[in-house]
Amino acid sequence: MAVHPGMMIKPELDERGISQKEFAKMLGIQPSHLSEVLNGKRALTTELAVKIENAIGLPAKILLSAQTQYELESINIAATAEDEQHETIAVTIPVRDRNLLRELVRKFGWAYMM
């Protein structure tokens, strides 16, 4: 499971005793922007990765690689969920059981009849 790079940066700040507010000031960004990155709500940009490397020495390449892996995994999870939602199931219903057919149409909104 891929990890958002924000989860790699947080422990470094804690270990160094640097607050998020101080770090945002060091990087020249708004504290709210940094908070969103650290909490995985915003992607880490190349520019910010380089600023972080210059400020505390975490290699930008590693941070950006983590961001890419995180995004790829997020896309794969979303695609898998979408595929599962659109799965087609074939069911044979005897003509005499019209109530079951009506129930399926009511629940799922459609039925293909052959």
Side-chain angles (χ1 to χ4, degrees), residues 21-75:
K21 189 174 181 179
E22 290 173 299
F23 195 50
K25 188 174 182 178
M26 288 169 62
L27 299 174
I29 63 172
Q30 293 295 315
S32 59
H33 180 114
L34 178 63
S35 177
E36 289 174 348
V37 171
L38 295 181
N39 292 308
K41 296 181 183 197
R42 182 186 287 241
L44 178 72
T45 63
T46 304
E47 181 182 352
L48 185 54
V50 170
K51 286 181 178 183
I52 292 169
E53 180 176 28
N54 291 337
I56 62 173
L58 278 176
K61 284 183 179 181
I62 291 173
L63 295 174
L64 291 170
S65 176
Q67 180 66 48
T68 301
Q69 288 297 98
Y70 179 80
E71 290 173 9
L72 288 171
E73 186 167 306
S74 296
I75 289 169

Side-chain angles (χ1 to χ4, degrees), residues 78-108:
T80 301
E82 187 174 309
D83 288 345
E84 289 173 1
Q85 288 176 353
H86 294 97
E87 185 175 336
T88 301
I89 300 172
V91 178
T92 303
I93 301 169
V95 175
R96 65 183 178 277
D97 201 348
R98 297 267 182 209
N99 289 334
L100 178 56
L101 180 58
R102 283 189 199 106
E103 185 65 17
L104 288 171
V105 171
R106 187 184 67 75
K107 280 189 175 182
F108 299 107

